[in-house]
Each structure stands twice: as structure tokens, then as C-alpha cells.
Amino acid sequence: MNATWIGQSTVLIQTAGLNILTDPFLSARASPLQWAGPKRVRAPGLDSKSLPPIDIILLSHNHYDHMDLPALKAIARHHAPHLITPHGNARYVRGVNVFKISELGWSDSIEIGSAKITVVPALH
């Protein structure tokens, strides 16, 4: 297994023959508007075009620094990932329109390839 921190909440996990991306945040600002809102201190280590083929995106919650819709759209243009998120978040990403979305409750699991992913409660 390899884990590469890309920046903020975004980690690329390479395991079990899969490329898994956590909470993609690749934009310049954590905001719905890219000309306003908190600006990144450092650029992400990779942009959406430089990522290896992404199989799964794990989306923990709907804060702008974890669910970056422009980044998700860019990733969707280059990859066809399966997005996994807790209940209530799928409505925010349906406009991206490319992902297969699995919205799971706490303690629910899904198997993708040889990986088993379980959604657990967490505090931010």
C-alpha cells in the first residue's frame, strides 16, 4: 500500500490494485466562488490531469475544503471513479453527472474489487 498526501484533505491511496482518492480539494479557494473565500496556502501536489486513473473517491462530508465541486468535475472528465459518501452528500455531487455514487449509512460497507470500504462516524 502507498499513501501520497496531495494537500489539505486529499490523499491518494494505492492498494489492492485500486487508486483511491480522499476528499478531493484541488482548487485555489475553499469556496463556491473561486474569486472569494479562504485561499490555499500551498498548491496541491498534483492536479486532476496528473493523477493516475482514479477508481474510487471517498467523500467524507460537504465542506468546501473536502468536497471541491470544480475538482470533482475535473476528475470526472479524466477518470470514471466510483464516489462513496455518507448519507446526505450525494445530492451535492449529482450535477457532476459522471460518477457512480454510493451513499451509505454509518457502519454500511461496500466491496469494490478486493477492497471493502465501511463508512464510520467521525468528528471534524
Side-chain angles (χ1 to χ4, degrees):
M1 181 185 93
N2 288 320
T4 305
W5 179 63
I6 294 174
Q8 179 63 12
S9 56
T10 309
V11 176
L12 173 63
I13 302 165
Q14 297 174 295
T15 187
L18 297 168
N19 292 319
I20 302 167
L21 197 63
T22 65
D23 291 337
F25 174 54
L26 305 175
S27 293
R29 295 183 183 271
S31 170
L33 309 168
Q34 287 305 295
W35 50 267
K39 191 172 181 179
R40 292 186 81 102
V41 174
R42 290 182 179 72
L46 295 171
D47 62 21
S48 63
K49 295 176 189 172
S50 302
L51 291 168
I54 301 299
D55 302 298
I56 301 169
I57 292 178
L58 303 178
L59 187 62
S60 66
H61 64 289
N62 62 8
H63 292 173
Y64 294 113
D65 60 337
H66 293 260
M67 186 174 64
D68 175 1
L69 291 179
L72 289 170
K73 288 177 184 177
I75 292 166
R77 279 194 298 272
H78 301 287
H79 312 276
H82 185 148
L83 187 134
I84 301 168
T85 188
H87 281 305
N89 287 326
R91 63 186 165 148
Y92 299 110
V93 295
R94 292 217 193 278
V96 172
N97 231 9
V98 175
F99 299 114
K100 176 179 182 183
I101 300 171
S102 293
E103 195 173 33
L104 305 176
W106 301 140
S107 301
D108 288 345
S109 296
I110 188 169
E111 292 188 25
I112 299 174
S114 59
K116 180 178 180 182
I117 297 164
T118 303
V119 176
V120 296
L123 296 174
H124 189 281

